[in-house]
Amino acid sequence: MTTLAPDDMALTAHVHGTARHEGLAPALAALGSAVLPGLLPCGPAGHAVVDARTHAEAEESWLDGLRHPRERLRETAPDETVLPGGSVVTTRVARPRRADGSRPDATGRARSDAYALGLVWLRLGLSEGLRSACVAHLAHRRTGDSTLLQQQLVKGTIADVLVEHLEVRAVLTGAAPGDLDAGMLHHLHGRITAADREQVRLLGASGYLRDSPGMTAYASEVLAEAHTGTEADPVAEAHAGTDAPTGAEAGPGTDARTGASAHTDREGTS
């Protein structure tokens, strides 16, 4: 295992705390400015979910551990979502043709690894913040002579979510950038998403309102999809006769891997 540098520990702790207490946009800004300053971080298929300032000011995009000139005319129209703490913008960039032999160097790989690890810590912070919001909400909703929080099934769900959070944290604690492979990071994202969906259900119909904590959970899920998706094929895109990406659209709720709507899936499981 790689030795975890103090700077790495400070960054993940800061990103996690910012996400939990301030929201998604401030946490994305904190992670991006520390690891990929001035860059638009994109997932393997070119999707980007960033705070509004990063989207407006980034001059280059970051794909596959490499910097690329930003071509705004080849990006999908930005979709802005207003959340507590600030707006989050979702878009997709057309993947540039990779020059023969072009591969990220050690620095590029290290920055990509740090960003990938930071994203899981960020989403864990958001999910833990959602847990606190759920407990506060349920503690003030009454049914008969008790609150919803005292209902056995509700308490069981909260306990299950807490266990998920503790287990994800146990895997992350002490892990340096690059220690956890893509498969493990994908697994941790999946566990956080599952916990978030359970928590949103506890909020009832209010959990699906645009100004509810559930909206942040929804955006968090889209963020994970953007960075765990499948790499697009720029040659296939060129043969399709368009400069725009031909896979999943980048708006919130689109699965970066399949093009399916995460929102539809969420509704179908509620």
Side-chain angles (χ1 to χ4, degrees), residues 15 23-33 49-51 54 88 115 119 122 223:
V15 169
L24 177 55
L28 285 171
L31 178 61
S33 63
V49 181
V50 295
D51 61 285
T54 295
V88 171
Y115 194 82
L119 284 179
L122 183 156
L223 174 65

Side-chain angles (χ1 to χ4, degrees), residues 17-217:
T18 301
R20 181 165 185 172
H21 300 293
E22 299 181 33
L24 177 55
L28 285 171
L31 178 61
S33 63
V35 180
L36 300 172
L39 300 174
L40 184 74
C42 300
H47 299 84
V49 181
V50 295
D51 61 285
R53 182 173 181 177
T54 295
H55 179 265
E57 297 182 357
E59 297 182 355
E60 295 178 293
S61 59
W62 180 264
L63 292 94
D64 304 327
L66 298 170
R67 306 167 72 111
H68 302 278
R70 192 169 173 194
E71 302 177 70
R72 293 179 182 267
L73 292 179
R74 300 188 68 201
E75 296 177 9
T76 60
D79 191 332
E80 184 171 351
T81 304
V82 179
L83 298 171
S87 296
V88 171
V89 176
T90 309
T91 188
R92 188 182 185 194
V93 306
R95 291 178 56 85
R97 293 178 179 274
R98 179 181 294 177
D100 291 341
S102 178
R103 294 290 186 272
D105 57 16
T107 299
R109 291 193 298 272
R111 295 173 77 182
S112 291
D113 289 342
Y115 194 82
L117 181 64
L119 284 179
V120 185
W121 274 108
L122 183 156
R123 295 195 65 227
L124 178 61
L126 291 175
S127 191
E128 291 173 341
L130 177 59
R131 189 183 74 227
S132 298
C134 285
V135 169
H137 174 79
L138 296 168
H140 291 89
R141 297 295 296 272
R142 301 194 66 82
T143 173
D145 296 330
S146 66
T147 65
L148 288 176
L149 189 59
Q150 296 303 312
Q151 299 297 305
Q152 189 64 36
L153 289 176
V154 172
K155 288 195 293 184
T157 300
I158 292 292
D160 290 342
V161 168
L162 176 59
V163 169
E164 286 291 322
H165 289 161
L166 292 175
E167 290 184 350
V168 171
R169 180 185 284 269
V171 176
L172 291 175
T173 299
D179 283 347
L180 305 177
D181 62 23
M184 176 55 70
L185 294 176
H186 191 286
H187 172 71
L188 295 176
H189 276 300
R191 295 188 69 169
I192 294 170
T193 294
D196 283 351
R197 291 185 177 191
E198 289 298 321
Q199 294 184 102
V200 170
R201 291 190 184 98
L202 290 177
L203 295 173
S206 65
Y208 297 91
L209 298 177
R210 183 166 289 276
D211 59 351
S212 76
M215 192 62 187
T216 297

